[in-house]
Amino acid sequence: MCGLDPRGSRDPAVPVVSPAGDRGKGESGSFGQSSSRLAAPRDTADLHQELCLYTLGNLIVESESVRRQLLPQGIVPAMASCIQSPHLTVLEALGYALSQLLQAKEASKKIIPSVLSTPLPQHMLRLLQPGPKLNPGVAVEFAWCLHYIICSQVNNALLITHGAVSTLGLLLLYLAGAVQRAEDTGLELLLCPVLRCLSNLLTEAPGGQVMLRDERVVVSLFIILQFLLQKQPSLLPEGLWLLNNLTANNPGFCTSLLSLDLIEPLLQLLPVSNVVSVLVLTVLCNVAEKGPAYCWRLWPGPLLPSLLDMLAFSDTEVVGQSLELLQLLFLYRPEAVQAFLQQSGLQALKRHEEEAQLQDRVHALQQTALHG
């Protein structure tokens, strides 16, 4: 794992890192792939190279001793040579083998520095460039490779220098267009690694949000969130992590949420799960903490009734984040207090008075509501 668990408490203004995940080791399903691969039977000139790469990938994931032997024999420079192959089947096999190598427990110390010293990262980003030449199978493999490299935090500044943030941002726009057109091309398999890569890079790149300041990024992200809500709700936290990291320290993205009327679609995600609820509320805290002008856009509206619904939950993290948001709303929009009182807000708070993790915040909010 890299970074914070989404279920953990955190300051809403602090960008969070999404986990490294374990896509390659025994994971399967519509958004994952099994660790052991066989080459498709074909009689082509590149078949031998493809078979070798799949065999290497299967050996790498199963044996540390194999990895120890391969590294001094120059497997990384050999892969850097293979990535220039014109054959898509070879590139996909290479991506598989490299992804297994990058998931090794010793990768951050012994493997990733070697990978970063070769042209592999630039070629990976080239293969992730959106457009008609983008191959879903190849792109998925190298997107996961990039994700494992980013999560190692060995030298993400180098990746940013190579244009990783802008490339992934453009790819996000491209993927949103693909899912909106309901194209059945396998591109949806790119969503998880691309969202994670961007989320994690933004935690390390103070100017990363500037590279993505185009509000089309926000629109695309909401298109993707709606797609995930319908097709793969378990991946909603991936998109919400990115939205949190975009809005944490960037008023421009908060302005986009308001000007594009995206607060209500965001609130509609609250019932999905406790994890999703906390992330949605965290994003809303990012908006509210920007000051009075932002809270004027949050209330009147559906926010307050939604927060009262959240206070009926028993999950302390959901309730705690709701209390934080109410405190910000009352600070910058005092008129909302009266509406809160009229809608039985004090009674909703009362049920949490005895909860150790919440009672201080409950008491503070009660004082604010009663005495200003």
Side-chain angles (χ1 to χ4, degrees):
M1 302 289 285
C2 82
L4 303 175
D5 189 304
R7 293 163 294 181
S9 60
R10 52 182 170 269
D11 187 316
V14 178
V16 296
V17 183
S18 55
D22 196 9
R23 190 262 335 194
K25 297 179 181 176
E27 182 178 332
S28 61
S30 63
F31 276 75
Q33 303 190 22
S34 62
S35 62
S36 183
R37 297 281 188 88
L38 295 175
R42 291 184 326 282
D43 184 19
T44 61
D46 59 304
L47 180 59
H48 177 71
Q49 194 174 22
E50 183 187 353
L51 284 168
C52 286
L53 286 165
Y54 278 125
T55 302
L56 277 172
N58 292 338
L59 289 171
I60 285 167
V61 75
E62 292 170 5
S63 172
E64 185 178 352
S65 64
V66 168
R67 296 195 297 271
R68 283 200 302 265
Q69 293 175 54
L70 289 173
L71 288 171
Q73 291 178 23
I75 187 173
V76 173
M79 287 180 165
S81 176
C82 285
I83 203 170
Q84 299 178 61
S85 170
H87 303 293
L88 293 175
T89 52
V90 171
L91 291 173
E92 188 170 351
L94 171 63
Y96 166 72
L98 181 58
S99 72
Q100 303 309 312
L101 194 62
L102 293 170
Q103 290 179 82
K105 61 182 180 181
E106 70 275 15
S108 61
K109 292 183 178 179
K110 298 182 179 179
I111 298 168
I112 291 174
S114 297
V115 169
L116 291 174
S117 69
T118 71
L120 276 166
Q122 295 99 306
H123 285 295
M124 279 189 262
L125 290 169
R126 172 180 58 81
L127 293 168
L128 291 173
Q129 290 283 350
K133 292 185 178 180
L134 182 73
N135 178 272
V138 172
V140 167
E141 293 298 344
F142 285 110
W144 281 109
C145 288
L146 193 61
H147 170 61
Y148 300 133
I149 293 172
I150 290 168
C151 276
S152 75
Q153 299 183 305
V154 170
N155 191 354
N156 286 342
L158 179 65
L159 295 175
I160 293 165
T161 301
H162 289 322
V165 174
S166 56
T167 297
L168 291 165
L170 289 171
L171 184 54
L172 190 75
L173 302 185
Y174 185 78
L175 293 175
V179 299
Q180 194 173 35
R181 292 188 298 271
E183 294 178 0
D184 187 17
T185 60
L187 285 173
E188 73 279 359
L189 297 174
L190 270 169
L191 290 175
C192 185
V194 169
L195 291 168
R196 289 187 180 188
C197 284
L198 274 171
S199 295
N200 292 335
L201 282 177
L202 290 180
T203 66
E204 295 195 26
Q209 293 95 336
V210 175
M211 302 175 199
L212 295 174
R213 60 185 167 189
D214 191 332
E215 70 176 18
R216 289 181 302 166
V217 170
V218 175
V219 175
S220 296
L221 190 47
F222 270 80
I223 290 170
I224 289 168
L225 288 172
Q226 289 301 313
F227 172 81
L228 294 176
L229 179 63
Q230 299 298 321
K231 302 291 186 179
Q232 197 80 4
S234 63
L235 289 181
L236 279 170
E238 308 290 355
L240 291 168
W241 275 323
L242 177 55
L243 187 60
N244 176 65
N245 288 357
L246 286 170
T247 56
N249 298 309
N250 193 306
F253 283 113
C254 296
T255 299
S256 293
L257 284 180
L258 296 169
S259 63
L260 295 168
D261 294 324
L262 294 173
I263 298 301
E264 192 162 354
L266 195 57
L267 291 172
Q268 289 169 2
L269 299 177
L270 284 171
V272 173
S273 70
N274 288 342
V275 170
V276 167
S277 295
V278 170
L279 287 166
V280 167
L281 292 166
T282 302
V283 170
L284 292 169
C285 281
N286 291 343
V287 176
E289 70 166 7
K290 299 301 184 292
Y294 292 84
C295 286
W296 273 87
R297 300 289 298 275
L298 290 175
W299 186 86
L303 176 61
L304 191 55
S306 295
L307 289 176
L308 288 165
D309 289 342
M310 292 296 101
L311 292 180
F313 278 47
S314 58
D315 185 88
T316 55
E317 291 178 51
V318 172
V319 175
Q321 203 64 44
S322 301
L323 296 174
E324 295 290 335
L325 184 50
L326 282 167
Q327 195 70 263
L328 287 166
L329 186 64
F330 294 168
L331 173 65
Y332 294 121
R333 196 74 163 94
E335 299 87 345
V337 173
Q338 191 59 36
F340 178 76
L341 294 173
Q342 291 172 351
Q343 295 175 47
S344 304
L346 289 179
Q347 290 90 321
L349 291 177
K350 195 171 183 63
R351 64 174 293 178
H352 302 291
E353 285 179 330
E354 305 305 319
E355 295 176 44
Q357 295 179 52
L358 299 173
Q359 56 188 191
D360 288 345
R361 282 178 285 179
V362 168
H363 180 70
L365 198 61
Q366 287 171 329
Q367 292 303 306
T368 300
L370 291 171
H371 308 295

